[in-house]
Amino acid sequence: MESLLPIALFSTGLSLVYAVGELVDRRPGIRNWLLSTIYVTLALTLGHAYLLTTGQIIAFPHLLHIHTPLTYAMGPCLNLYLRLSIDREARISTRFYWHLIPAVFVAFAMIPHYLLDDETKMQLVSAFLRGETPGYTTYFYFGGMAQLCAYLLLLVYQLQDVLTRESLQRESSARITLLITGWALLATVTVLLGFATRNLIILRSTLLFMSTLVPVLYWIQRRHPGFFLELETAVQKERYRRSQLGGLDLSGLQSRLERLMREDRIYLREDLTLPALAEQLGATPHQLSEYFNRHQETNFAGYINRRRIAVGCNSKSAFNPAFARHTGQSPSAYRRSHSRGHA
């Protein structure tokens, strides 16, 4: 176990250096803050794992589970960082903050633990090292690692377009992505298994996986500085290859759609369906659905409702439901809320 000390300390220090380095930029953006949070969490998790598995946490009882709330934030930060890195049009949304609620809840729930005296914390550590039933804080940490494992699986699902056999053979960025996610998944699963069985041998093997992960990230950054640009390109190529829009004249489709909306006012037909509109445009329903999602940033129903609202529809009975579907409020409720806002 002593042989892991140099690499564990090196990886912890390297993570902290990376975390600070991301914020040294004059105007750090959201990606810098996200990556800094990820590296800080890695450093605290790695340091805590070493102290716990070697029993040295007894000398630093105030550090016991200090990193637990951050483990709940790591998954959402990883997910958002990846989206911002491979999609230039991606933006941070309120959904991201909802994903941080577990981290905030655990931080408040851990306050009684953080206020415990050092002697009580030492007793908790000793009980864990003896394999006795852990306290609630250990269950919190277990839950955080389980959540991180779920987010890593979600990342794999989101990148399924570039993790195909063909992409792995062609694109180095796809192979690197598989290496990183596979390594991280192996580390988190090992942590879960170690805590579930309270087996120190398994937990110590976790230290090996976690300690080597940071140098691997360092090597990738040095060897492939344009990694995310390469990954974005690979994702776009694979999406284009699978796209239903290949070979379709998009400008012609857009012109025909505008003509139907402007001249024929086809959106006024209450029985209008996606297949019917697609047939008039000379496209398949799948092609038209993909067109709306990619180029209009909405679906068929959203596009038609937007058109109906823009012109006021041809009747109150058609306008009111369309307005409610688009804004989430009836016209009268919308007017009342805005009247109060300007009062």
Side-chain angles (χ1 to χ4, degrees), residues 7-124:
I7 189 171
L9 293 179
F10 171 75
S11 297
T12 302
L14 188 61
S15 296
L16 290 174
V17 169
Y18 273 174
V20 174
E22 288 297 322
L23 303 181
V24 168
D25 195 305
R26 286 184 183 178
R27 299 175 61 185
I30 183 63
R31 284 179 58 192
N32 301 104
W33 283 102
L34 289 170
L35 199 53
S36 180
T37 301
I38 292 168
Y39 277 124
V40 166
T41 306
L42 268 176
L44 292 176
T45 302
L46 185 57
H48 186 274
Y50 177 79
L51 293 175
L52 183 64
T53 56
T54 58
Q56 296 184 40
I57 191 72
I58 292 179
F60 307 94
H62 54 284
L63 297 179
L64 182 63
H65 294 307
I66 193 173
H67 65 306
T68 296
L70 280 175
T71 61
Y72 286 84
M74 194 169 183
C77 288
L78 274 171
N79 186 276
L80 179 59
Y81 181 80
L82 182 68
R83 283 200 300 111
L84 295 176
S85 297
I86 66 174
D87 186 354
R88 299 178 188 180
E89 298 181 359
R91 297 290 183 271
I92 187 170
S93 64
T94 55
R95 185 182 302 177
F96 168 72
Y97 299 106
W98 284 103
H99 284 253
L100 295 180
I101 288 179
V104 176
F105 170 79
V106 171
F108 278 102
M110 294 282 289
I111 289 177
H113 167 80
Y114 294 139
L115 296 178
L116 292 175
D117 58 85
D118 288 351
E119 183 178 351
T120 303
K121 290 182 180 180
M122 289 173 63
Q123 293 174 358
L124 292 173

Side-chain angles (χ1 to χ4, degrees), residues 178-194:
L178 184 61
L179 171 67
I180 296 174
T181 53
W183 206 303
L185 271 170
L186 185 60
T188 53
V189 169
T190 307
V191 170
L192 292 173
L193 184 60

Side-chain angles (χ1 to χ4, degrees), residues 23-300:
L23 303 181
V24 168
D25 195 305
R26 286 184 183 178
R27 299 175 61 185
I30 183 63
R31 284 179 58 192
N32 301 104
W33 283 102
L34 289 170
L35 199 53
S36 180
T37 301
I38 292 168
Y39 277 124
V40 166
T41 306
L42 268 176
L44 292 176
T45 302
L46 185 57
H48 186 274
Y50 177 79
L51 293 175
L52 183 64
T53 56
T54 58
Q56 296 184 40
I57 191 72
I58 292 179
F60 307 94
H62 54 284
L63 297 179
L64 182 63
H65 294 307
I66 193 173
H67 65 306
T68 296
L70 280 175
T71 61
Y72 286 84
M74 194 169 183
C77 288
L78 274 171
N79 186 276
L80 179 59
Y81 181 80
L82 182 68
R83 283 200 300 111
L84 295 176
S85 297
I86 66 174
D87 186 354
R88 299 178 188 180
E89 298 181 359
R91 297 290 183 271
I92 187 170
S93 64
T94 55
R95 185 182 302 177
F96 168 72
Y97 299 106
W98 284 103
H99 284 253
L100 295 180
I101 288 179
V104 176
F105 170 79
V106 171
F108 278 102
M110 294 282 289
I111 289 177
H113 167 80
Y114 294 139
L115 296 178
L116 292 175
D117 58 85
D118 288 351
E119 183 178 351
T120 303
K121 290 182 180 180
M122 289 173 63
Q123 293 174 358
L124 292 173
V125 173
S126 299
F128 177 81
L129 294 176
R130 291 194 302 268
E132 297 177 4
T133 302
Y136 76 96
T137 53
T138 302
Y139 289 119
F140 273 143
Y141 181 63
F142 184 88
M145 296 306 293
Q147 186 206 51
L148 176 58
C149 187
Y151 272 100
L152 289 171
L153 291 173
L154 177 62
L155 288 180
V156 173
Y157 174 77
Q158 292 172 335
L159 291 172
Q160 60 180 319
D161 287 343
V162 294
L163 295 181
T164 61
R165 180 181 300 178
E166 294 81 4
S167 292
L168 290 171
Q169 291 174 345
R170 293 193 311 265
E171 308 290 345
S172 61
S173 59
R175 294 191 292 272
I176 293 173
T177 301
L178 184 61
L179 171 67
I180 296 174
T181 53
W183 206 303
L185 271 170
L186 185 60
T188 53
V189 169
T190 307
V191 170
L192 292 173
L193 184 60
F195 272 93
T197 60
R198 294 193 289 280
N199 189 310
L200 285 180
I201 296 177
I202 297 177
L203 287 174
R204 285 168 182 165
S205 65
T206 300
L207 185 60
L208 173 63
F209 294 129
M210 295 177 63
S211 297
T212 50
L213 178 61
V214 179
V216 167
L217 294 175
Y218 174 78
W219 172 80
I220 291 172
Q221 187 177 44
R222 298 287 296 179
R223 185 72 180 270
H224 300 272
F227 165 69
F228 283 109
L229 180 60
E230 295 173 8
L231 184 60
E232 179 186 16
T233 303
V235 169
Q236 295 302 326
K237 285 197 306 187
E238 193 63 26
R239 285 178 179 172
Y240 180 78
R241 188 179 70 83
R242 296 187 176 193
S243 174
Q244 299 280 342
L245 300 178
L248 193 66
D249 181 7
L250 294 181
S251 60
L253 178 67
Q254 172 68 22
S255 299
R256 294 193 298 275
L257 179 63
E258 282 296 326
R259 186 166 58 252
L260 282 173
M261 295 297 154
R262 186 177 59 254
E263 297 178 5
D264 298 346
R265 304 180 72 184
I266 197 173
Y267 52 83
L268 296 179
R269 286 175 43 188
E270 295 192 22
D271 62 342
L272 182 65
T273 62
L274 178 65
L277 180 59
E279 184 178 358
Q280 294 200 45
L281 293 171
T284 68
H286 291 295
Q287 287 175 325
L288 186 57
S289 178
E290 184 177 347
Y291 170 80
F292 281 133
N293 279 281
R294 286 200 179 187
H295 299 278
Q296 297 293 334
E297 298 183 348
T298 185
N299 56 20
F300 165 72

